[in-house]
Structure formats: C-alpha cells, structure tokens
C-alpha cells in the first residue's frame, strides 16, 4: 500500500510540474516545433532528464530497490520532444540511476530498463504524435515498457529470488499507475498541440475567405504592383498579420505594412525570397545578414516566404510577417503555404484560360482564312466562263467580287452586322445567278430592322452548299433564305429543293468525323461551336425533297448597330 501511495503522490507532483512547464513560453515554443536546433534539443533533453532524476529521488525504497515514476520523464520526453529527446533523457536517467546506487542489486537492471524505455519512446514517438497522443496508445506503450522493466529486473538482478520478491511488490503499482500517470502527464502538454491545431484551422478558413475576396484579381492573371497591393490589403485586413511583401523573380514589387516603411519597391530580392525561389518551398527567416533588405524588419518580426508557382516553376514570392515572440510559427507557415498554393492555382488557371483563348482565336482565324481562297476559286471559275462570250458581264462580276473583299478586309474582329453579311451573300449570289441564269431561283425573306452582329462569312458557305450540292442537282433549282427574329436570337434558315444530304455526312458534321472535302460546312460548324458552344452548331433537316440548314445567332446587346439606311432584301434576286 505504501508503494502505491508513493507512486500516486509522485504522479501528482509530476502533473503539477507539467502544468508549470506548459505555461513557460520557452518550453511551449520548443515543444510545438517540428524540427529543433541543437540548442533546443539540449534544453528539452535537460528538462526531461531532470524530471527522470527527480522521479528517482522521490521514489519509495523497497527491499534495496526504488519504486519510482522515472519512466514518465523518460518516455514523455520521446513522445513530446521526439526520438532524440527521448533517448537523451533516458541516458541521463539511466546513468543517474546507476551512479546513486552502484552497489544496489537492481542498479544495473534499472539503468538498462530506463535506456530501453527511452528507445521504446523514440521508436513509437512518430506513431503517438500522428494519432494525436491518444490515451489508449500512451497507456498501452507505457504498460508494455514497464512490463519489460520487470522482466529485465528478473534477468539481471541478483540474487534471483530477491528479484522475484521485489517484482511481486512493485509490478502492479509501477506498471498500472505509471501507465495512468503517463496519460495524465502528456495530456497537460497535449492541450498546447490542440491550441495550435485550432489556430491552424482558423487560418485555413482565412485562406479561403481571402482567396474568395481576391478571386477577381487572381482571375485576371495580372501579377503587378496594383493587383498585389490590393491582395495585400485583403490579407492584412483578414489575417491581422504585421506586413506582406510580394516579389517577382528579380525585385520587390509590393510592400504593405506600417512596420516595413523602410523597404522600398524595385529593391533587390531579400535572401529569404531567393531561398524560396531556389528551393520552391516555404522558408522562414528569423535573422538575416546586416546587408539584407529585411535586416531591420526582423529585429521584432519573423518572415515566412512561400513560392508562387506556374507550371511547376516559381514566378514570384509571397512573404508574410508575424510577431517574433510567438510561441509557434506553425499556423503562419501553414497560412502562407496555403495562400501561395491557392494563389498559384488561380494564376495558373488564368494563364491556361488565356492560352486557350489565344489558341481558339488562332484556330478561328485559320478557319476564317480557309473561306477566302475557297470562295475566290469558285468565283473566278464563274467569271472565267464569261470572259470570252460576255466580257462586260465578267467585268461587272469582278467589280462585285472586289467590293466584296474590300468589305471583308475591313472587318477587324471577325464580326459584322447581319446586313454586311447579307452583302457578302448577295455578291456571291450575283456570281452564281450569272452562272446558272434562269435555272436558279433565289428567294430572300428578311425583316428590315434586325439589330444583330454575327461571324463574318458564316452564311455564304451555307448558301453555296445549298446551290452546289442541293438546288443545282435539279433541272430547276430553288434556294430560299429566311431570317426571323426571336426574343434573344436571330434564326437564319437556308432551304433548297435538292436531293438531300446523306445521313453519314450529317452525322460527320455533327461529330466532326467528316473528311475535309466539304470544307464550307465543316468550317461553319467549327466556327459556330468555337463562338457559341458545342451545342450551337448547324441544325440540319434533310430528306429526298430538299434540305433546310439553320443557324441561331444570339443577339449581343452590347453591340448595337449604328442607325443607317438598311437595305431590304426581299423575295427574288
């Protein structure tokens, strides 16, 4: 019973000691760090080593041995401070245990068992920390370590019979109560880690709030002083950090924060930014050489730098400043890293969208340029037929063709009014009418006051297809162009009385599997899909009695046409 009282009392004293240590800023600061410097390791080893020594001194003498709580100091050092601290504290505890009782029959056995317990804590430290210091884990590991100590005593303590008697007395109190004591002792420090996790969690929420607020700036893809200044204002407003710096790969481009008044723009990069850009990862600077631009700023602050990346390569650096005397910078590191990653993703997406837009524009221009040679070839063939027999008519058609292309060249953005587009169609129809004369009948039904812009040269290939592959397959061909206005769109239909379009061609146009022989309709289909979306291409209704090809052009209220005398296309050409 006295052994139990002694151990319980010692556990109580250790828990009180843990409460005191947990309130010491220096201890808290070292405990929460992922990696330690040599000085920090020495301090933590000394702290937990001294705890193990105190536990030995306050132990209860039993049959020439000492019932104690030394395992708590040794193994807690490993669980909390890491493997190096656990083994270091174990070495101190084991040496001390052997020296104070060199002639004791358990001195060597207890020294060995203390060292083994330190090794056990070192091996299991990562697992325990990963599981957030679960009580059942702490209890089970300590329970196993104390059982192992009893076995070591039985193996090394001589005489053996006295070792057996000792183990019978101290086994239950030390194995069970020390395991419970470990749970209580570590739980005092565990609240420090929970506070840190809560702070990190709140920073994660801030990251999303800041990113959402900055989204319009990030989506612009513009990384300059003005945008970075606005982003910095948002970061400082939400996070309450001391200051923010943005850099590119060569210079500081934005500085925000009253504490950084001494730092000007377009200065050479601080060493921290160079390190971040080189290593492509988050780095911390607590002190820098005197010639560094951050030297004065880091007297009272710490700087956390994170890379801004596009396509795996850094294009800039985000530096956030925090109070130098904080217990932990872990949440600030997570905050800077999270912000930089989300910012990087948005900048990269913006860049990809720009590249996609440029690619589509280039493809659109390429499709547009395909039409002109195609149209010229057909037109010149028609004109050449008149050159010998009807030179005046050929001259008239050449003038029409020249007027057509002059208007086409003046189109800068690829869009024209629906009336200009009909001018192109009329120029083409004039050529075709001259070629086929009375065999071709053209009907046009179009209101006089339509206000709409549409892609240049989008309608002419449809009309050409209706004449060439539709109407002129009959002795008497007819093509009708109908333009109707809806609430938010213009529907244009081109109908012919031909023999229809084969279904495999219709399917090929819809799913882009047709060969390039039908360049006109392929071109129109692709351009419509580029501009208005995949579901807004050609609408084809075909049978052996003829074909109707329709397109729908959304109205663009931002491109109202200027008032002018609009031509009226009606009925017959």
């Amino acid at each position: 019973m006295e052994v139990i009282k002694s151990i319980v009392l010692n556990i109580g004293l250790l828990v009180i000691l843990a409460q005191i240590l947990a309130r010491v800023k220096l201890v808290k600061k070292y405990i929460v760090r992922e990696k330690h410097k040599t000085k920090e390791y020495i301090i933590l080893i000394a702290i937990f080593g001294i705890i193990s020594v105190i536990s030995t001194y306050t132990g209860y003498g039993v049959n020439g041995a000492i019932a104690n709580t030394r395992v708590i100091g040794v193994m807690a050092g490993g669980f909390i401070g890491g493997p190096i601290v656990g083994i270091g504290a174990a070495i101190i505890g084991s040496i001390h245990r052997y020296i104070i009782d060199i002639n004791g029959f358990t001195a060597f056995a207890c020294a060995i068992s203390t060292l083994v317990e330190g090794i056990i804590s070192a091996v299991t430290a990562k697992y325990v920390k990963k599981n957030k210091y679960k009580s059942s884990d702490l209890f089970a590991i300590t329970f196993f370590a104390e059982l192992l100590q009893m076995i070591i005593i039985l193996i090394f303590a001589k005489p053996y019979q006295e070792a057996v008697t000792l183990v019978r007395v101290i086994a239950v109190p030390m194995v069970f109560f020390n395991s419970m004591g470990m749970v209580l002792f570590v739980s005092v420090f565990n609240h420090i880690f929970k506070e840190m996790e809560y702070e990190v969690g709140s920073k994660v929420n801030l990251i999303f709030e800041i990113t959402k607020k900055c989204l319009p700036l990030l989506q612009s893809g513009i990384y300059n002083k003005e945008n970075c200044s606005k982003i910095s204002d948002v970061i400082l407003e939400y996070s309450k950090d001391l200051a923010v710096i943005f850099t590119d790969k060569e210079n500081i481009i934005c500085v925000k924060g009253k504490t950084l008044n001494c730092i000007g723009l377009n200065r050479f990069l601080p060493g921290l930014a160079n390190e971040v850009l080189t290593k492509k990862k988050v780095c911390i600077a607590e002190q820098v050489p005197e010639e560094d631009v951050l030297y004065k700023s880091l007297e009272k602050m710490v700087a956390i730098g994170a890379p801004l990346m596009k396509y795996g390569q850094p294009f800039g650096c985000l530096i956030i400043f925090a109070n130098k005397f904080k217990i932990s910078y872990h949440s600030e590191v997570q905050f800077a890293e999270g912000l930089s990653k989300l910012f990087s993703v948005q900048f990269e997406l913006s860049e990809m969208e720009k590249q996609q837009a440029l690619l589509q524009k280039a493809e659109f221009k390429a499709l547009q340029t395909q039409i002109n040679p195609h149209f010229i070839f057909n037109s010149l063939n028609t004109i050449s037929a008149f050159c010998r027999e009807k030179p005046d008519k050929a001259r008239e058609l050449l003038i029409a063709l020249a007027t057509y292309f002059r208007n086409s060249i003046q189109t800068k953005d690829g869009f024209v009014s629906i009336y200009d587009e009909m001018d192109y169609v009329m120029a083409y129809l004039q050529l075709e009418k001259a070629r086929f004369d009375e065999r071709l009948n053209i009907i046009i039904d179009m209101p006089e006051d339509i206000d709409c812009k549409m892609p240049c040269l989008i309608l002419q290939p449809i009309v050409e297809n209706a004449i060439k592959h539709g109407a002129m397959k009959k002795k008497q061909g007819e093509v009708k162009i109908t333009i109707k206005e809806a609430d938010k769109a213009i529907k244009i239909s081109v109908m012919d009385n031909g023999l229809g379009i084969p279904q495999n061609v219709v399917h090929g146009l819809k799913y882009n599997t047709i060969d390039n022989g039908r360049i006109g309709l392929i071109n129109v289909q692709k351009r419509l899909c580029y501009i208005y979306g995949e579901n807004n291409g050609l609408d084809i209704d075909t049978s052996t009695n003829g074909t109707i090809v329709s397109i729908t052009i959304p109205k663009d209220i931002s491109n109202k046409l200027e008032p002018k005398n609009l031509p009226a296309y009606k009925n017959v050409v």
Side-chain angles (χ1 to χ4, degrees):
M1 185 60 70
E2 292 299 323
V3 175
I4 295 175
K5 287 182 180 180
S6 175
I7 291 177
V8 170
L9 178 60
N10 284 345
I11 290 172
L13 292 173
L14 288 179
V15 171
I16 293 172
L17 181 59
Q19 293 280 2
I20 296 171
L21 290 172
R23 283 164 174 74
V24 177
K25 282 190 176 182
L26 185 67
V27 176
K28 291 172 74 174
K29 183 177 181 179
Y30 292 167
I31 284 174
V32 297
R33 290 194 175 180
E34 295 288 334
K35 295 180 180 180
H36 302 286
K37 298 177 182 178
T38 303
K39 175 185 174 182
E40 295 167 1
Y41 274 125
I42 293 172
I43 291 173
L44 288 175
I45 289 171
I47 289 172
F48 288 99
I50 290 170
I51 291 174
S52 68
V53 169
I54 292 173
S55 298
T56 300
Y57 276 125
T58 57
Y60 183 77
V62 180
N63 299 336
I66 303 172
N68 61 83
T69 56
R70 184 172 55 251
V71 65
I72 295 176
V74 171
M75 295 190 71
F79 295 148
I80 296 170
I84 294 176
V85 176
I87 293 176
I91 292 172
I92 293 174
S94 61
I95 292 174
H96 173 264
R97 174 65 184 88
Y98 183 77
I99 290 175
I100 65 167
D101 187 26
I102 293 177
N103 296 321
F105 87 100
T106 62
F108 180 73
C110 288
I112 293 296
S113 64
T114 300
L115 191 59
V116 169
E117 287 168 342
I119 294 171
I120 292 173
S121 72
V123 171
T124 57
K126 187 175 181 179
Y127 170 81
V128 170
K129 191 170 186 177
K130 182 180 179 181
N131 283 4
K132 298 182 179 180
Y133 302 96
K134 192 188 299 183
S135 297
S136 57
D137 292 338
L138 295 170
F139 185 91
I141 294 170
T142 309
F143 194 93
F144 170 76
E146 285 291 76
L147 279 179
L148 194 58
Q149 179 179 3
M150 299 302 123
I151 293 171
I152 291 173
I153 290 173
L154 291 174
I155 293 173
F156 290 100
K158 301 298 179 185
Y160 176 75
Q161 193 57 46
E162 289 186 18
V164 171
T165 302
L166 175 64
V167 168
R168 284 176 179 171
V169 175
I170 67 172
V172 173
M174 288 187 63
V175 172
F176 181 77
F177 286 103
N178 278 345
S179 301
M180 288 295 298
M182 180 67 74
V183 173
L184 295 173
F185 186 87
V186 174
S187 67
V188 174
F189 291 93
N190 194 29
H191 87 277
I192 300 174
F193 299 105
K194 289 181 178 178
E195 286 177 2
M196 186 177 67
E197 287 179 359
Y198 174 79
E199 191 174 351
V200 170
S202 64
K203 289 286 188 181
V204 170
N205 290 331
L206 279 179
I207 290 170
F208 287 109
E209 288 295 325
I210 291 170
T211 304
K212 184 169 69 174
K213 188 81 171 179
C214 296
L215 205 54
L217 299 170
L218 298 171
Q219 287 178 333
S220 72
I222 301 173
Y223 186 70
N224 60 12
K225 176 185 174 183
E226 183 180 357
N227 273 9
C228 289
S229 178
K230 293 176 181 178
I231 293 172
S232 298
D233 288 336
V234 176
I235 294 174
L236 294 177
E237 177 188 352
Y238 277 80
S239 69
K240 308 301 181 186
D241 284 313
L242 301 179
V244 176
I245 287 179
F246 279 96
T247 81
D248 56 23
K249 295 176 72 173
E250 296 179 355
N251 300 292
I252 295 173
I253 62 173
C254 175
V255 177
K256 275 297 176 82
K258 294 180 181 179
T259 54
L260 297 184
N261 291 335
C262 58
I263 300 178
L265 300 183
N266 301 317
R267 297 283 298 274
F268 291 115
L269 291 180
L272 174 63
N274 280 320
E275 183 181 5
V276 168
L277 293 170
T278 301
K279 295 182 177 179
K280 301 179 185 179
K281 66 177 185 179
V282 177
C283 300
I284 301 176
E286 297 184 64
Q287 55 186 17
V288 292
E290 191 171 347
E291 64 272 12
D292 194 288
V293 70
L294 298 182
Y295 176 72
K296 289 186 178 179
S297 302
L298 296 188
E299 290 178 355
K300 295 182 179 180
M301 294 188 296
V302 63
I304 300 103
L308 298 171
M309 311 279 288
K310 275 194 294 193
Y311 307 113
Q313 296 299 320
F315 66 90
C317 177
L318 165 65
I319 302 177
I320 292 175
F321 292 80
N323 194 316
K324 195 167 190 174
F325 303 105
K326 286 194 67 172
I327 291 170
S328 170
Y329 306 132
H330 184 68
S331 62
E332 275 71 21
V333 170
Q334 296 294 318
F335 178 64
E337 184 174 25
L339 268 186
S340 68
K341 285 182 176 179
L342 281 177
F343 285 3
S344 297
V345 167
Q346 290 299 327
F347 276 121
E348 187 169 319
L349 286 175
S350 174
E351 181 71 20
M352 291 172 66
E353 287 174 1
K354 285 183 179 179
Q355 294 297 329
Q356 181 68 19
L358 288 173
L359 177 61
Q360 288 191 351
K361 187 174 181 179
E363 290 178 344
F364 177 76
K365 289 292 184 183
L367 289 171
Q368 214 171 11
T369 57
Q370 284 180 340
I371 287 295
N372 286 346
H374 185 66
F375 180 53
I376 290 172
F377 177 77
N378 290 329
S379 299
L380 291 178
N381 276 342
T382 300
I383 294 170
S384 66
F386 288 92
C387 285
R388 289 185 179 182
E389 298 180 3
K390 298 179 180 180
D392 291 340
K393 186 67 175 177
R395 181 175 178 275
E396 179 185 337
L397 296 177
L398 280 172
I399 292 172
L401 185 62
T403 302
Y404 167 79
F405 278 107
R406 182 165 58 250
N407 292 337
S408 178
I409 290 170
Q410 291 173 352
T411 303
K412 296 180 180 179
D413 59 0
F415 283 80
V416 295
S417 75
I418 193 169
Y419 298 101
D420 289 334
E421 180 68 9
M422 282 302 296
D423 282 342
Y424 304 155
V425 173
M426 295 303 292
Y428 170 74
L429 289 175
Q430 187 176 356
L431 293 166
E432 292 299 285
K433 187 67 175 173
R435 178 182 175 188
F436 295 109
D437 199 16
E438 293 183 359
R439 280 192 61 207
L440 176 62
N441 186 36
I442 306 293
I443 301 174
I444 299 177
D445 186 4
M446 175 181 178
E448 298 179 3
D449 56 352
I450 294 180
D451 191 0
C452 174
K453 282 193 173 184
M454 61 190 297
C456 176
L457 291 176
I458 206 82
L459 186 54
Q460 183 272 332
I462 301 175
V463 176
E464 179 182 340
N465 188 79
I467 294 173
K468 183 178 179 181
H469 299 288
M472 299 323 298
K473 297 296 183 181
K474 296 283 189 73
K475 288 184 178 181
Q476 185 64 41
E478 182 175 287
V479 172
K480 182 178 181 180
I481 303 172
T482 303
I483 301 176
K484 293 182 179 180
E485 186 173 10
D487 290 339
K488 296 182 179 180
I490 302 296
K491 185 173 182 179
I492 304 173
S493 300
V494 178
M495 180 177 65
D496 67 68
N497 67 336
L499 302 177
I501 302 176
Q503 285 301 318
N504 66 311
V505 175
V506 176
H507 185 275
L509 283 169
K510 185 175 181 180
Y511 296 103
N512 196 26
T513 58
I514 193 171
D515 67 59
N516 290 327
R518 294 177 175 265
I519 184 173
L521 290 185
I522 292 175
N523 186 292
V524 172
Q525 173 74 3
K526 287 183 177 181
R527 289 169 67 198
L528 287 172
C529 291
Y530 275 139
I531 299 168
Y532 302 116
E534 292 295 327
N535 297 322
N536 292 285
L538 296 169
D539 183 11
I540 301 175
D541 182 10
T542 186
S543 69
T544 55
N545 296 321
T547 300
I548 302 175
V549 178
S550 301
I551 60 174
T552 300
I553 306 296
K555 289 183 180 179
D556 187 345
I557 59 174
S558 66
N559 287 318
K560 292 287 187 181
L561 301 180
E562 294 296 329
K564 63 179 181 178
N565 295 324
L566 301 175
Y569 300 111
K570 205 72 173 176
N571 296 332
V572 181
V573 175

